[in-house]
Amino acid sequence: QVYWRLEDRWVQAFKTLFMDRLGVPFVNAVGNHDITRHTGDGKFVLDADAYRKRFGATYYSFRAGADLHVVLDTVTAGRSIRGAQKSFLEAQIDRANQDPSVRNILFWSHHLVWTQIDPDYRWLKGDPGKWNFKSEIYPLLQKLDKTKNVFWGSGNFGEPPNISLFYDHREKDNLTVFATGIGDTRHDLV
């Protein structure tokens, strides 16, 4: 997430103070604050359509040299990847397997959905919930050619236990997972 709420003042401040000065393309794995909008009656709603109107798709892919980046939306379907987005993910895995020039596949998400695959990750985000990562998404990752390097990075790590960076290379799975976040603590990477 890149700003506090999907409201003009927060979005404009983000654009003025950050995006306009960046000088390179900006890539965002949509987070809960990115699509949270105040309704004016003291309530807040998730509004992915308003986000899409301002910034475009909530999931997409792009190539950078030998790297295939797959940016996923783990917010609008309750931390699960379903429907059209799951079909998109399957197509990206097929694309990577069929293209020998792709050496690295980097998946990006806001939520640390991969914590479901290992009980040792529980300390990172607590109860892994009833998302579909372990049951449906993780088996898809196992279909990636073992000659490819596979990474999954997440950024919702700015709350206790805040640490600057978490990294684990799972050799048996051919998967490296990592997480970082900004929580306004001395451990922040920024």
Side-chain angles (χ1 to χ4, degrees):
Q1 59 211 16
V2 294
Y3 45 80
W4 181 241
R5 287 197 192 99
L6 185 59
E7 297 170 12
D8 287 338
R9 68 183 174 137
W10 296 108
V11 173
Q12 191 55 47
F14 171 71
K15 284 181 175 181
T16 302
L17 297 172
F18 186 75
M19 286 183 73
D20 292 349
R21 298 176 184 195
L22 196 55
V24 295
F26 179 77
V27 176
N28 183 41
V30 66
N32 50 302
H33 288 277
D34 297 328
I35 64 171
T36 300
R37 181 176 55 78
H38 187 255
T39 62
D41 58 359
K43 296 181 182 175
F44 297 90
V45 295
L46 295 179
D47 191 347
D49 288 335
Y51 177 90
R52 287 184 197 102
K53 286 177 187 172
R54 287 180 191 250
F55 297 104
T58 58
Y59 61 91
Y60 50 94
S61 67
F62 62 94
R63 282 287 301 264
D67 302 337
L68 172 62
H69 295 262
V70 182
V71 182
L72 297 166
D73 176 349
T74 56
V75 177
T76 57
R79 299 187 187 188
S80 287
I81 297 167
R82 303 192 185 284
Q85 183 178 205
K86 185 178 175 192
S87 297
F88 165 81
L89 175 61
E90 292 169 330
Q92 297 308 305
I93 290 171
D94 289 343
R95 173 185 178 191
N97 280 336
Q98 293 171 15
D99 187 342
S101 70
V102 173
R103 289 187 307 227
N104 303 300
I105 304 100
L106 298 97
F107 298 96
W108 302 98
S109 67
H110 176 66
H111 291 292
L112 285 67
V113 292
W114 43 264
T115 59
Q116 281 190 326
I117 62 175
D118 192 329
D120 288 342
Y121 296 154
R122 286 265 170 98
W123 69 273
L124 293 166
K125 291 306 275 186
D127 181 8
K130 297 182 180 177
W131 326 314
N132 71 335
F133 188 86
K134 185 176 181 178
S135 62
E136 297 178 40
I137 304 309
Y138 186 61
L140 295 175
L141 299 182
Q142 299 304 297
K143 294 179 180 181
L144 281 160
D145 188 307
K146 298 305 178 201
T147 63
K148 313 283 186 181
N149 300 306
V150 183
F151 303 88
W152 195 297
S154 303
N156 187 28
F157 203 48
E159 56 199 35
N162 180 280
I163 61 172
S164 59
L165 178 68
F166 173 82
Y167 165 92
D168 188 26
H169 176 66
R170 303 173 56 82
E171 193 163 335
K172 69 181 178 96
D173 300 331
N174 189 36
L175 175 64
T176 300
V177 294
F178 60 97
T180 189
I182 299 172
D184 196 22
T185 73
R186 64 183 178 84
H187 301 289
D188 289 348
L189 286 176
V190 180

